[in-house]
Amino acid sequence: MCLMGLVACEKEKADTPTDQGRDIYYTVSDGSSVSGFSGTTAHINTNAEFDALLDRFCDFAQNGEQVMFCGSHPASHTKASSSDTPTSITTTDREELKAWMKEMEKAGKTVQISYDDNNGTWNGRAYANLGQEDMREARMYTGTLTFVQPPVLEEPPLGGVVWAMQVNADSTLIITLQGMMMWNDSIDENMRMIQGATLMLEGVVGSHTDLQGNPFMTLSLNIEEN
């Protein structure tokens, strides 16, 4: 009877509503450098649904794909969230990775995970989400694809590069999807092949300032669901 009671409690805990029903926006790309410029939104209402979605993300990563996601916490919830959890993780434990992803999503961050089949480890990185712009003001922009140093939104700084569009000699727009920058730890051979390609993208330009007081601009894409 005690065992049955414990099982019942665990099932009830798993099926309880999350703190707030919300959407999780995510992208899945083949490899580490192709983002696809599109994504999928999953609406979740319970902790069990969130666990199942995170398990899917782990499966995607194990299949050699890179997953990037963020949640749609209301602004008041995101601002109130804080976490002492490190913004990066390397682990062979799926449950540890899922717990880390929950903390990062709760803190309102962009989360990116991949899997190294050579040593059986998941690798995760989280960084500040730049929010969403009003897409009613979207317009077309033309430029060339480039990769730039990310703005300092975390301490320690993120490092690596983020995808951007150079509009002219004085304007470079960091590309975002639902406030998510597209980050890579370095520029690989595939990225070098497409660097400088002409882009025509629809979105909203936003102005921001990083933690060091440096201004930067973003292009929040008017994206379509897969």
Side-chain angles (χ1 to χ4, degrees):
M1 291 179 63
C2 290
L3 179 60
M4 291 176 64
L6 287 172
V7 171
C9 287
E10 288 300 315
K11 183 177 186 302
E12 180 180 354
K13 179 179 179 181
D15 291 339
T16 54
T18 58
D19 50 356
Q20 291 179 348
R22 62 189 183 279
D23 292 332
I24 301 294
Y25 176 82
Y26 66 93
T27 69
V28 180
S29 58
D30 184 11
S32 62
S33 60
V34 181
S35 68
F37 296 109
S38 64
T40 303
T41 299
H43 186 74
I44 58 172
N45 291 300
T46 67
N47 291 317
E49 290 175 354
F50 195 20
D51 273 343
L53 183 62
L54 295 181
D55 270 319
R56 287 181 60 196
F57 293 165
C58 293
D59 292 339
F60 285 144
Q62 277 191 300
N63 289 332
E65 296 173 302
Q66 179 178 259
V67 180
M68 182 171 69
F69 74 91
C70 65
S72 63
H73 286 293
S76 60
H77 178 90
T78 301
K79 291 177 181 178
S81 298
S82 61
S83 175
D84 294 329
T85 306
T87 55
S88 63
I89 188 173
T90 297
T91 181
T92 59
D93 187 335
R94 175 185 286 240
E95 295 305 314
E96 182 183 10
L97 177 69
K98 287 168 58 181
W100 176 83
M101 288 192 286
K102 288 178 182 179
E103 285 296 315
M104 295 299 100
E105 189 273 337
K106 184 178 180 182
K109 296 185 181 296
T110 294
V111 182
Q112 192 173 28
I113 66 165
S114 59
Y115 184 78
D116 189 339
D117 194 47
N118 294 320
N119 53 24
T121 60
W122 280 280
N123 298 292
R125 166 75 76 170
Y127 44 91
N129 190 283
L130 292 171
Q132 300 178 29
E133 302 288 346
D134 187 349
M135 300 315 294
R136 291 175 298 180
E137 303 174 4
R139 52 167 289 192
M140 297 299 301
Y141 293 88
T142 302
T144 57
L145 177 64
T146 187
F147 305 101
V148 300
Q149 184 177 349
V152 180
L153 302 175
E154 303 284 347
E155 291 293 353
L158 184 60
V161 295
V162 291
W163 294 48
M165 183 170 71
Q166 186 170 351
V167 178
N168 54 50
D170 300 320
S171 298
T172 298
L173 310 176
I174 295 174
I175 300 169
T176 66
L177 305 172
Q178 299 283 46
M180 305 188 302
M181 297 184 297
M182 293 177 288
W183 177 85
N184 291 86
D185 58 0
S186 62
I187 302 177
D188 63 22
E189 183 178 349
N190 291 330
M191 294 165 69
R192 290 190 183 94
M193 291 176 60
I194 60 176
Q195 188 170 17
T198 299
L199 299 177
M200 181 177 290
L201 301 174
E202 183 180 29
V204 175
V205 170
S207 298
H208 309 269
T209 303
D210 71 9
L211 296 179
Q212 295 181 347
N214 299 313
F216 65 97
M217 301 182 72
T218 58
L219 178 61
S220 181
L221 296 189
N222 191 9
I223 54 177
E224 296 184 0
E225 296 278 324
N226 283 339

